[in-house]
Amino acid sequence: MADYTKEILAQAELRNYAVWDMFAHFGGLFGINQMVKEGLIGADRVHYTKAGYEKQGQLLTDAFLEALQNYNTETGK
């Protein structure tokens, strides 16, 4: 997963497109155990729980709003 994430980020930089790094937000390669403890991912360590999907949604929304604020600041809007 770490190599896959690294390549996505490299391609985003190369091609100048936006990317959101959920892997990093959830603790990276070793974050899975903490996610289980917090009840964000199921015992199968693959599927998120309801709380996990809600956290994903909140983090993504926060990232969009932060990007919009940065854009507005940079363009003087």
Side-chain angles (χ1 to χ4, degrees), residues 12-28:
E13 175 97 17
L14 179 69
R15 300 171 191 272
N16 196 34
Y17 59 78
V19 66
W20 177 59
D21 188 359
M22 188 174 77
F23 184 67
H25 280 288
F26 280 104

Side-chain angles (χ1 to χ4, degrees), residues 18-51:
V19 66
W20 177 59
D21 188 359
M22 188 174 77
F23 184 67
H25 280 288
F26 280 104
L29 192 58
F30 301 104
I32 194 76
N33 291 330
Q34 186 61 36
M35 288 173 43
V36 170
K37 287 179 188 174
E38 292 177 16
L40 300 176
I41 200 159
D44 65 0
R45 291 173 160 40
V46 174
H47 298 97
Y48 290 90
T49 62
K50 181 178 183 286

